[in-house]
Amino acid sequence: MGEIVQLYKTLFICDTSYAKGHRRTPSDIEFRDAMRKDAQFAMNKELNKLLTTAPPGLQEKTRKEFDGFEILFGRFLRESGPSVEWDKLKLLPPEAIRKYSSLDTPDKNSVKELLGKLVVIKLNGGLGTSMGCTGPKSAIQVRNELTFLDLNVQQIEHLNKTYDVDVPLVLMNSFNTDEDTQKILRKYSQIKVSIVTFNQSRYPRINRDTLMPVPRSFGEESIEGWYPPGHGDVYNSLYNSGLLDKFINEGKKYIFISNIDNMGATVDLNILGFLLNTPELEAPEFVMEVTDKTRADVKGGTLIEYEGKLRLLEYAQVPSDHVDEFKSVSKFKIFNTNNLWISLPAIKRNVEEGTLHMEIIVNPKTLDNGMNVIQLETAVGAAIKSFERAVGINVPRSRFLPVKTTSDLLIVMSNLYAMRTGALEMSPKRSFPSVPLVKLGHQFSKVKDFLNRFASIPDLLELDHLTVAGDVNFGKNVSLRGTVIIIANHGEKIDIPMGSILENKIVSGNLRILDH
């Protein structure tokens, strides 16, 4: 990230170079502006060339996507310095965060009407590469041979059957996940769920040295040159797909957006009732579910008040000399779960008026051929400042159960959770509600390796903390309790025998435990 900022300063004479008393001359300003215009003009020229290589049936869609990309690129050229001035940051007033316990449970007779105004969107653009899988991450098996997608479909099916409604399940795919997802969806033909998909945009990666697009054509041969621009693209892509107008015309009022790998992100009737039973002119246009920080969440984005608006503050936006302050659980007590409830008419207004604003995330990458590139991305929650009467709701931790790593996978596959109609609920046998902290070494990072190292998933009901490093294998029916640390040194192996009970134990050194 530092290299990108330095490149930007070099090319565009960043304003921060004048912060120490240097005076900008008219010629400096003219030169900087000319450089920006040249870069923007050159990008526009290259995008027009790329557009001519798109199939005729995709040219209109691609043109709209390129328009969005050019706006993002133009902001990247113009916006210098930090997006947040720390001295302007204010802690939230009490009314900005509502307690979940303060919400009323809607009358049973009104639930059907409430659900008739809801659309559920799951963010399905990610691949499972970080966990060693190919294809959509949503196709990874999580529990009882059911995938993330299976469980999400099951949740909505249960909701629709229970209340005799037809809440649609909408998947925002990327060009990386769409084809495989469409194949998977065929198996749900007998399920009572209306499943709809749309694709997020397909943006060209930018050569870091030239600031020009990497791909030379639209075709599959240059697929490495493209990227999906983060889930902040959901607003424009939903609008461009025609689904936004369709849902509004059908009388839908709110969308519930969440990551498809968050097993706690189920439709909550109390939050929906709060939104729809509040008078329209007072109802929030944007609700962000937040939850209390723990030691595992210190880098999670939090809500602040900034220039009179509720705003999402991400770790990457924090100046280096304030990082420890940001991580403080006593000062910033909550973090964003990325479970969001947003008004459909408000999305339409913001898109059409061009008032959506999300901070740009500059994501550096290195391609297989060694080329250094950057991706310009945005996050869906960062748009909170563009909506009226936005609030946070402090929800129970159970609504945040993501699976980003195999360490998370171990937790959701264990007896800590019971599965019911696609939803995971913490076992009543767990004596306290917090989730154990699990850190598995790189030998477990791929799903295949992870599964091979467990003859069966251990009993974690009484576990507080687990750290495993090195060549370690677990036999069947192992119980882990309290704090357990297992470290196999390089070249050594540790086998935990069947039926072992490890409670507040450290297993390390040149040790191999054998069955006998």
Side-chain angles (χ1 to χ4, degrees):
M1 180 69 179
E3 293 178 72
I4 301 300
V5 172
Q6 187 57 48
L7 171 72
Y8 179 78
K9 288 180 179 179
T10 301
L11 286 173
F12 298 107
I13 315 177
C14 181
D15 290 344
T16 55
S17 63
Y18 297 94
K20 298 178 181 179
H22 297 285
R23 184 178 177 185
R24 290 180 298 182
T25 66
S27 60
D28 288 335
I29 298 171
E30 289 174 9
F31 181 72
R32 179 197 62 197
D33 290 344
M35 291 277 283
R36 289 172 174 165
K37 288 178 182 177
D38 284 348
Q40 187 89 56
F41 177 78
M43 176 61 79
N44 177 266
K45 186 176 179 181
E46 291 301 312
L47 292 177
N48 284 334
K49 288 181 184 177
L50 271 177
L51 186 60
T52 63
T53 70
L58 291 176
Q59 288 210 350
E60 179 62 22
K61 179 178 185 294
T62 304
R63 183 190 61 76
K64 290 180 180 179
E65 291 176 353
F66 281 5
D67 287 347
F69 174 78
E70 283 199 79
I71 291 171
L72 203 61
F73 182 70
R75 284 182 51 208
F76 167 70
L77 298 180
R78 293 191 308 273
E79 296 173 5
S80 59
S83 60
V84 173
E85 294 181 35
W86 199 258
D87 293 341
K88 291 184 178 180
L89 180 154
K90 294 181 181 179
L91 295 180
L92 293 172
E95 63 273 13
I97 303 291
R98 288 178 173 264
K99 292 182 179 179
Y100 180 81
S101 58
S102 72
L103 303 182
D104 295 327
T105 300
D107 182 88
K108 289 183 179 180
N109 295 326
S110 68
V111 169
K112 183 172 182 176
E113 181 181 356
L114 295 175
L115 288 172
K117 298 177 181 178
L118 179 68
V119 175
V120 174
I121 294 184
K122 296 292 179 176
L123 303 172
N124 187 46
L127 294 169
T129 49
S130 64
M131 295 171 71
C133 301
T134 58
K137 184 178 182 182
S138 57
I140 294 175
Q141 291 185 1
V142 185
R143 192 73 181 247
N144 299 344
E145 300 185 353
L146 296 175
T147 66
F148 288 110
L149 187 53
D150 292 335
L151 295 175
N152 278 279
V153 171
Q154 191 175 359
Q155 289 172 21
I156 302 300
E157 180 194 32
H158 174 69
L159 190 74
N160 287 343
K161 283 184 175 179
T162 301
Y163 297 102
D164 189 27
V165 291
D166 186 18
V167 175
L169 174 62
V170 182
L171 304 176
M172 184 173 81
N173 301 332
S174 68
F175 64 87
N176 288 321
T177 64
D178 185 58
E179 184 176 351
D180 287 339
T181 299
Q182 297 300 338
K183 293 176 182 176
I184 294 169
L185 291 181
R186 296 171 190 166
K187 70 179 182 179
Y188 303 124
S189 60
Q190 303 302 313
I191 303 295
K192 190 191 175 185
V193 180
S194 300
I195 305 176
V196 184
T197 68
F198 69 99
N199 275 17
Q200 63 186 116
S201 299
R202 185 181 194 252
Y203 283 0
R205 284 175 167 148
I206 302 168
N207 185 311
R208 193 188 70 176
D209 299 320
T210 64
L211 292 187
M212 289 294 99
V214 170
R216 310 308 301 171
S217 74
F218 193 86
E220 291 299 314
E221 70 276 7
S222 59
I223 197 70
E224 197 181 23
W226 304 86
Y227 74 99
H231 43 57
D233 184 59
V234 66
Y235 304 105
N236 283 303
S237 289
L238 182 64
Y239 181 90
N240 290 338
S241 72
L243 288 174
L244 182 63
D245 280 335
K246 174 181 180 292
F247 291 138
I248 290 174
N249 292 337
E250 290 174 354
K252 308 295 185 183
K253 297 293 185 183
Y254 281 90
I255 54 171
F256 172 48
I257 300 180
S258 61
N259 297 330
I260 201 163
D261 63 7
N262 181 1
M263 291 290 87
T266 57
V267 171
D268 187 276
L269 296 179
N270 292 6
I271 297 176
L272 182 62
F274 160 67
L275 290 168
L276 291 172
N277 290 329
T278 302
E280 189 171 345
L281 295 179
E282 300 172 18
E285 291 185 345
F286 194 113
V287 164
M288 176 180 289
E289 292 186 37
V290 298
T291 196
D292 292 340
K293 270 190 179 183
T294 70
R295 55 186 170 167
D297 315 307
V298 292
K299 291 186 177 181
T302 191
L303 285 178
I304 57 171
E305 183 180 324
Y306 193 83
E307 297 179 338
K309 284 278 193 178
L310 209 57
R311 182 161 172 173
L312 178 63
L313 176 66
E314 298 280 13
Y315 179 79
Q317 297 171 264
V318 179
S320 57
D321 53 340
H322 290 283
V323 164
D324 289 340
E325 186 180 350
F326 176 80
K327 290 181 178 179
S328 168
V329 176
S330 60
K331 182 168 185 177
F332 298 102
K333 299 178 180 180
I334 50 93
F335 73 98
N336 170 30
T337 66
N338 217 40
N339 299 346
L340 309 171
W341 303 74
I342 310 172
S343 160
L344 287 164
I347 293 174
K348 180 178 172 69
R349 182 192 72 235
N350 271 306
V351 171
E352 292 183 344
E353 295 180 0
T355 48
L356 278 174
H357 188 277
M358 292 162 279
E359 285 70 36
I360 297 174
I361 302 165
V362 181
N363 190 357
K365 299 277 186 181
T366 301
L367 303 185
D368 290 343
N369 63 7
M371 180 187 294
N372 292 316
V373 301
I374 55 176
Q375 300 178 179
L376 305 181
E377 304 174 6
T378 57
V380 59
I384 189 171
K385 63 179 179 288
S386 301
F387 291 83
E388 300 299 324
R389 301 176 296 281
V391 298
I393 296 180
N394 194 338
V395 298
R397 180 75 185 202
S398 58
R399 290 192 59 73
F400 182 69
L401 192 59
V403 181
K404 303 297 183 186
T405 64
T406 52
S407 298
D408 300 326
L409 190 60
L410 177 64
I411 290 172
V412 300
M413 291 180 74
S414 75
N415 60 345
L416 281 168
Y417 290 93
M419 190 176 74
R420 189 180 66 164
T421 59
L424 298 182
E425 298 176 353
M426 185 166 281
S427 170
K429 295 179 181 178
R430 174 84 168 168
S431 56
F432 41 93
S434 62
V435 177
L437 188 61
V438 174
K439 297 179 180 178
L440 300 180
H442 69 85
Q443 293 86 356
F444 292 77
S445 62
K446 308 304 182 187
V447 172
K448 182 179 178 182
D449 297 335
F450 162 86
L451 293 174
N452 286 337
R453 290 184 177 276
F454 290 98
S456 67
I457 301 299
D459 174 354
L460 305 186
L461 276 176
E462 298 178 40
L463 180 69
D464 297 323
H465 181 144
L466 172 66
T467 294
V468 182
D471 187 0
V472 179
N473 295 284
F474 292 80
K476 288 185 177 181
N477 303 321
V478 172
S479 293
L480 304 175
R481 302 172 183 174
T483 296
V484 178
I485 300 172
I486 307 171
I487 300 175
N489 296 328
H490 181 68
E492 298 165 353
K493 181 178 182 181
I494 295 176
D495 293 327
I496 306 299
M498 178 175 64
S500 296
I501 298 175
L502 299 180
E503 183 170 3
N504 296 323
K505 296 292 185 184
I506 298 175
V507 182
S508 65
N510 186 11
L511 176 65
R512 182 166 184 170
I513 305 174
L514 300 173
D515 271 330
H516 59 82

